[in-house]
Amino acid sequence: MQNGDLAKNIRRVAYGLIFLLVLLFVHISYLQIIQGSFYASHPLNRRSIEYSKTVARGTVFDRNGQKLAVSEKTDHNGFKRFYPYGALTAHLVGYDSARLGKAGLESSHNGYLSGIDSPLRGLGPVSRLFTRSQVHHIALTIDIDLQKAADQALGDKRGAIVVLEPHTGAILAMVSKPGFDPNDIDSRWDQLSGSAASPLLNRATGGLYPPGSIIKPLIAEAGLTEHIVDLQQKFNCTGALVSGPDYRLPETNAKAHGEINLAQALAVSCNVTFGKIAIDLGNTKIANAFARFGFNQSTGPDLQETASRLPEFGRLADGDLAQTGIGQGSLLVTPLRMALLAATFANHGLTMRPYLIDKIMTSDGTVIKHYPPEEWLRPTNAQIAQSVTAMMVGVVENGTGAAARIAGTAVAGKTGTAENPHGRDHAWFIGFAPADNPRAAIAVIVENGGAGGAVAAPIARKVLIQALR
């Protein structure tokens, strides 16, 4: 009897051990086969870091074949990364550091650039017995000459510029200042990471700002779409919008614009008009407008854009709605997001998904992955988009955006002077050109810059001139 019980117990223990071994095998197989690609190419994988020192990483090019990141031989028969344009492309390409790891494109596309993007790479060193490492090159949509022009136009001001092709979504230029030189990231890391100016932050995709009056084209579109307003309707601006006993929204310098239509209201950036339209739209319709234009959606993983911070529309009182209608209150957006808004009107109401990578190639130039333009959203129709475009042309020709005028070319735009609770107002400009056949859409923000018409609009003009060459 005792021998029988002992045998049963031994069998139970044996079955338990076998079960645990099976679980261990399944878990290891999952890590090796399913998750192997992730861990093998992870920028903090020490084995991959050491291996990458012995391999010349793939080159990163701009759209015209200019080298933005290359590998150079070291004195120790290894390789290190070199960035020919330094800080000019740092927020686009990122960095590759033996001490700090990788960031930006160097991190997100490490598998391609390092040559470890192989179906067998999860097997670790064993994979090298079966496959030869082949690095891949990456071509971006960036035009380095336009990138230089945007950088020079922004000067030493703190802010960001984004330039897009409206009909494709390709990013032509993306500048963020202050920046950093990835060639000396190791020696300056402590200074950069501790700086109050946040030079490591890509303000174009990661900076959140109140949009101010550059949101007014969206409010105009919403009013037209929801039949709250029409192009002939007159508004009476007395210098302030009063709602209820406790709320008053003043015009800049308390200026009364008198009787004006929608186009005139956009040209002079009338707060009373757009505050009233927002109140008339109400909570649901204004929420729908932001949703139609994708403010509650991600642009995709490659650009790593910080999500917009939208008000809780269902809880907004009339005063809060009016604040949203002029781009204030709790609304916060990125410069990329506002460039997309301009690009949507430029592209007849169709929003193309923004993208930075054009193609990935083998060392002999064979394209293994191409990123074609992708239709993303259709928030409005062509007729209303054309009406808003015409009003934005009026802003530049007859209103606050006069400093963005280009001789012989119609420019559509909107200025913004966004109140900032932490200091001086932010200066904004969004627009596109030529207005009748747009080739470039732009967003410019200058942190604490003051008036958008005086500061951001002339910067946009300089960049658009280069984009149209």
Side-chain angles (χ1 to χ4, degrees), residues 52 105 177 184 198 202-203 242 254 287 415:
S52 66
L105 191 74
K177 287 194 171 185
D184 59 13
S198 303
N202 184 354
R203 285 165 161 78
V242 178
T415 60

Side-chain angles (χ1 to χ4, degrees), residues 155-435:
D156 60 359
K157 298 178 178 68
R158 189 180 299 184
I161 298 175
V162 179
V163 186
L164 299 166
E165 266 185 351
H167 63 284
T168 66
I171 296 174
L172 302 177
M174 182 182 284
V175 170
S176 175
K177 287 194 171 185
F180 65 95
D181 187 344
N183 292 307
D184 59 13
I185 188 74
D186 286 342
S187 61
R188 298 192 60 220
W189 177 255
D190 291 341
Q191 177 189 349
L192 293 168
S193 59
S195 172
S198 303
L200 297 171
L201 172 68
N202 184 354
R203 285 165 161 78
T205 59
L208 286 174
Y209 307 91
S213 293
I214 61 169
I215 206 66
K216 289 174 180 175
L218 182 150
I219 301 301
E221 185 280 338
L224 293 169
T225 296
E226 300 290 354
H227 305 290
I228 300 296
V229 298
D230 61 55
L231 296 174
Q232 287 72 45
Q233 183 175 341
K234 294 289 185 177
F235 301 87
N236 185 26
C237 172
T238 61
L241 173 65
V242 178
S243 178
D246 302 319
Y247 182 76
R248 186 176 185 274
L249 175 64
E251 287 295 336
T252 303
N253 300 322
K255 181 178 181 179
H257 297 119
E259 264 203 4
I260 52 177
N261 61 27
L262 188 60
Q264 292 167 330
L266 193 69
V268 298
S269 202
C270 179
N271 287 340
V272 169
T273 298
F274 287 94
K276 184 180 186 309
I277 293 172
I279 291 173
D280 291 345
L281 281 167
N283 305 70
T284 300
K285 289 177 180 177
I286 200 168
N288 289 343
F290 279 90
R292 282 190 286 107
F293 280 87
F295 280 80
N296 58 351
Q297 297 185 43
S298 168
T299 52
D302 283 349
L303 295 175
Q304 299 179 340
E305 184 197 18
T306 301
S308 302
R309 292 188 186 170
L310 302 176
E312 293 185 50
F313 290 107
R315 302 179 64 179
L316 297 185
D318 283 358
D320 301 316
L321 285 168
Q323 286 290 314
T324 302
I326 64 168
Q328 296 292 164
S330 58
L331 176 63
L332 297 174
V333 296
T334 66
L336 172 63
R337 187 62 56 163
M338 299 315 294
L340 282 173
L341 178 65
T344 299
F345 293 121
N347 198 32
H348 313 294
L350 175 63
T351 309
M352 304 299 290
R353 188 181 295 278
Y355 66 104
L356 182 61
I357 300 175
D358 179 39
K359 57 191 174 184
I360 299 175
M361 307 163 288
T362 60
S363 55
D364 64 2
T366 302
V367 176
I368 64 165
K369 190 171 185 179
H370 179 59
Y371 295 78
E374 177 189 349
E375 292 187 7
W376 184 32
L377 303 166
R378 188 174 285 280
T380 191
N381 62 51
Q383 182 179 356
I384 291 179
Q386 181 55 42
S387 296
V388 175
T389 293
M391 289 189 278
M392 292 175 70
V393 170
V395 170
V396 176
E397 292 185 350
N398 307 305
T400 60
R405 292 177 192 160
I406 299 174
T409 300
V411 178
K414 183 67 190 82
T415 60
T417 305
E419 293 180 7
N420 170 27
H422 308 293
R424 195 177 176 209
D425 296 344
H426 299 315
W428 277 103
F429 182 88
I430 62 169
F432 50 91

Side-chain angles (χ1 to χ4, degrees), residues 60-63 66-70 82-95 103-106 140 142-148 151 172-177 179-183 199 202 356:
V60 180
F61 299 95
D62 85 332
R63 68 192 295 122
Q66 296 298 309
K67 295 177 180 179
L68 309 182
V70 297
F82 176 67
Y83 303 92
Y85 292 97
L88 182 63
T89 57
H91 288 111
L92 295 168
V93 179
Y95 57 80
L105 191 74
E106 295 276 25
L140 303 185
I142 292 295
D143 180 335
I144 195 62
D145 291 330
L146 185 58
Q147 184 79 1
K148 288 178 186 176
D151 181 82
L172 302 177
M174 182 182 284
V175 170
S176 175
K177 287 194 171 185
F180 65 95
D181 187 344
N183 292 307
N202 184 354
L356 182 61

